[in-house]
Amino acid sequence: MARDAMGYALSALNHLAGSGVLDRLGVRRTAENISYYLSRSSFSAISTSARQFRNLNPLKRPQRLQAPGETRDLFDLNITDEQRMIRESVQEFAREVLRERGEPADTEQSIAPGTLEQASELGLTLFAVPEALGGAATERSPVTSMLVAEDLAHGDMGQAIAILAPVSVANALTQWGSAHQQGTYLVEFAGDHPPVATIAVSEPAPLFDPLRPACTASRRGDHYVLKGTKSLVPLAAQAELFLVAAMTEDGPGVFIVEGGSQGLGVEADFAMGVRAGGQGRVTLDGVTVPVANRLGAGDFDYRAFVDLGTLAWCSLAIGTSQAMLDYVIPYANERTAFGEPISHRQGVAFLISDMAIELDAMRMLTWRAVCRAEQGLPFRREAHLARTLVKDKAMGIGTNGVQVLGGHGYTHEYPVERWYRDLRATGIAFGGLHL
């Protein structure tokens, strides 16, 4: 379904904002106020997808990526040469693009379209699609996905979520999608213009349990009818494809829902942090999807689906916590009080040392869980331990980072204020991503 009038108005304003016309006419402030008002207004009832998905690559069987064949007898945390090259490219992008645009994206509560286009040039979605479907992936590597998530979040966590959401959908379709689902949807991610896609798991409920979603999917002949509400869904207003978690008669499942489906509504869901991810609230009022759109080909593991999403959030928290640590160390060494750097004070030095220790502990537990997932070993216990530690220590690192800067840390002038808000999300977030 095409955009409504509000969508066209916002699009036109965005194009104008990128030109010099508004400055020459002296009306930039007025246009920005109009854009802000429209973006805050509810854009419910319609999602913005106009893409038509068709099964362009009929498959006899789904394509699966195997875990890396290389094994080591000794405990070794070294990464491969290929992973190192990928990290170097992602780190450069995070440092030169995401870090610089972090504050504007947070203020606008949306990632800039140009940033998504630049991110697509990294080819992250191609590495999630098997070669047989036009991608570049030859093996499944949650470890590589984890490293990418960590490095992107070192630049800016909110924008990292927006970039990783479509990649996460491609990962899930590669790991569990049926032949029909891969031929219809996954092949699109290997094209020049991969679809804007996202995962909807979280719900606006106290103590939400992803294993017991309130959103329901009722079987009606050869279709499922979805009813419920999802919250904090990345790229919600722009998404052309959703993976929605819902409870069925035989337990929780995940359903492929195309943007613009009848009964699918999206509205703003303003959050404390990770605002650049474009989080929105998605309502499903009798959305009908074919039975063939239930994710999986008989091998779907919903708990692993949730756990891999949890580990993705852990990776994001590690990257942001590392950014916080990298910022406060030189600050403490350069900031003077009473004639000496504040790092000479034991209270400050011990605080920063604790941040470094806790960060390493977060990284080791997360790496352990992701490595087991990559090897095909059970990792439920390890994922739970990683999330339990990360949601506690990451928020503590955010608090301590602000504390080191004192009053400066509580102002927009310094990025630690935004990182603090972003890290708070790790305590409640479950969905939206998938390693």
Side-chain angles (χ1 to χ4, degrees), residues 53 59 61-65 125 128-130 133 140 165-190 195 197-199 241-244 254-257 292-297 299-300 305 308 434-435:
F53 293 94
L59 302 173
R61 58 184 179 84
Q63 299 296 310
R64 296 285 185 258
L65 296 175
T125 53
V129 181
L133 295 173
R140 184 175 67 90
V167 181
S168 301
V169 173
N171 280 332
L173 288 170
T174 296
Q175 186 167 356
W176 287 301
S178 66
H180 171 76
Q181 292 162 2
Q182 290 186 348
T184 304
Y185 300 106
L186 186 57
V187 292
E188 296 283 348
F189 290 90
T198 189
I199 299 176
L241 195 66
F242 296 83
L243 294 187
V244 179
V254 173
F255 297 84
I256 304 171
V257 179
N293 276 29
R294 181 171 181 175
L295 183 65
D299 57 349
F300 180 63
F305 174 84
L308 286 168
H434 182 86
L435 288 179

Side-chain angles (χ1 to χ4, degrees), residues 41-54:
S41 301
S42 171
F43 40 86
S44 58
I46 296 291
S47 68
T48 59
S49 174
R51 185 186 296 253
Q52 298 295 318
F53 293 94
R54 298 187 301 274

Side-chain angles (χ1 to χ4, degrees), residues 135-349:
T138 57
E139 58 186 26
R140 184 175 67 90
S141 180
V143 170
T144 301
S145 299
M146 174 199 66
L147 296 173
V148 168
E150 180 180 331
D151 290 335
L152 288 174
H154 191 269
D156 182 64
M157 187 171 178
Q159 295 175 93
I161 291 171
I163 292 169
L164 291 173
V167 181
S168 301
V169 173
N171 280 332
L173 288 170
T174 296
Q175 186 167 356
W176 287 301
S178 66
H180 171 76
Q181 292 162 2
Q182 290 186 348
T184 304
Y185 300 106
L186 186 57
V187 292
E188 296 283 348
F189 290 90
D192 294 333
H193 302 286
V196 179
T198 189
I199 299 176
V201 174
S202 296
E203 297 177 354
L207 303 177
F208 168 68
D209 183 356
L211 300 181
R212 296 177 177 83
C215 181
T216 60
S218 304
R219 180 76 178 263
R220 299 287 187 272
D222 58 354
H223 288 78
Y224 279 98
V225 179
L226 278 64
K227 293 184 178 181
T229 303
K230 295 295 181 179
S231 62
L232 300 177
V233 180
L235 299 175
Q238 306 161 252
E240 302 167 286
L241 195 66
F242 296 83
L243 294 187
V244 179
M247 183 63 75
T248 71
E249 294 85 348
D250 56 351
V254 173
F255 297 84
I256 304 171
V257 179
E258 296 182 14
S261 297
Q262 184 69 31
L264 180 68
V266 179
E267 60 183 20
D269 196 11
F270 301 110
M272 172 183 176
V274 293
R275 295 175 177 176
Q279 277 76 16
R281 183 167 297 195
V282 176
T283 57
L284 301 109
D285 186 11
V287 175
T288 301
V289 298
V291 170
N293 276 29
R294 181 171 181 175
L295 183 65
D299 57 349
F300 180 63
D301 186 340
Y302 181 80
R303 180 57 188 260
F305 174 84
V306 171
D307 287 341
L308 286 168
T310 294
L311 292 173
W313 277 98
C314 290
S315 303
L316 291 170
I318 291 168
T320 305
S321 297
Q322 185 69 61
M324 181 76 80
L325 183 64
D326 292 345
Y327 192 90
V328 300
I329 289 175
Y331 179 90
N333 287 329
E334 296 169 6
R335 175 70 172 173
T336 59
F338 304 104
E340 63 180 357
I342 62 174
S343 60
H344 291 186
R345 307 280 173 157
Q346 286 189 345
V348 175

